[in-house]
Amino acid sequence: MSTRRPEVAVVGPKMLHPQVFAVVRNSDETGVSGTGTVIDGIVFPSGDCVTRWRGPTPCVSVWPSFAAFKSVHIDPHPDNNTEVRWFDVQEPAAATE
């Protein structure tokens, strides 16, 4: 189940588990990435951020922080009306024998 949280993930000592997110573009000013969910990502408690572009030429990138990722792929494109959707991470169900 998805929830909307502030754009900047909580990282550091208060962050106990990785934070999963998706980047949704409501428009595409360049015509390159398209609209809808275009990137899946995760922010680790260390602050590192890993993203994967969806689409015909997927690409995985490692960033030193969510802010670094955002400064390249979100902030410079205000006309895309981009949303970051944060997902609650569920603990896996205990395996039963």
Side-chain angles (χ1 to χ4, degrees), residues 54-88:
R54 293 185 177 193
T57 54
C59 176
V60 174
S61 300
V62 179
W63 301 86
S65 66
F66 178 80
F69 159 75
K70 186 175 175 280
S71 72
V72 172
H73 290 293
I74 297 175
D75 295 341
H77 308 287
D79 293 337
N80 285 340
N81 193 22
T82 301
E83 298 174 49
V84 176
R85 295 185 182 163
W86 297 94
F87 297 90
D88 289 328

Side-chain angles (χ1 to χ4, degrees), residues 7-8 10 69-70:
E7 287 187 6
V8 179
V10 175
F69 159 75
K70 186 175 175 280

Side-chain angles (χ1 to χ4, degrees), residues 2-3 6-7 10 16 19 27 29 32-33 42 44 48 52 60-62 69-70 74 77 96:
S2 69
T3 59
E7 287 187 6
V10 175
L16 301 176
Q19 302 288 309
S27 62
E29 65 181 306
V32 176
S33 62
I42 186 166
F44 294 94
D48 297 325
R52 183 181 184 278
V60 174
S61 300
V62 179
F69 159 75
K70 186 175 175 280
I74 297 175
H77 308 287
T96 56

Side-chain angles (χ1 to χ4, degrees), residues 2-48:
S2 69
T3 59
R4 292 186 187 218
R5 296 185 187 166
E7 287 187 6
V8 179
V10 175
V11 295
K14 293 184 179 183
M15 185 176 169
L16 301 176
H17 303 287
Q19 302 288 309
V20 179
F21 67 93
V23 174
V24 180
R25 289 207 169 142
N26 293 301
S27 62
D28 180 11
E29 65 181 306
T30 64
V32 176
S33 62
T35 59
T37 302
V38 294
I39 299 171
D40 298 299
I42 186 166
V43 180
F44 294 94
S46 65
D48 297 325

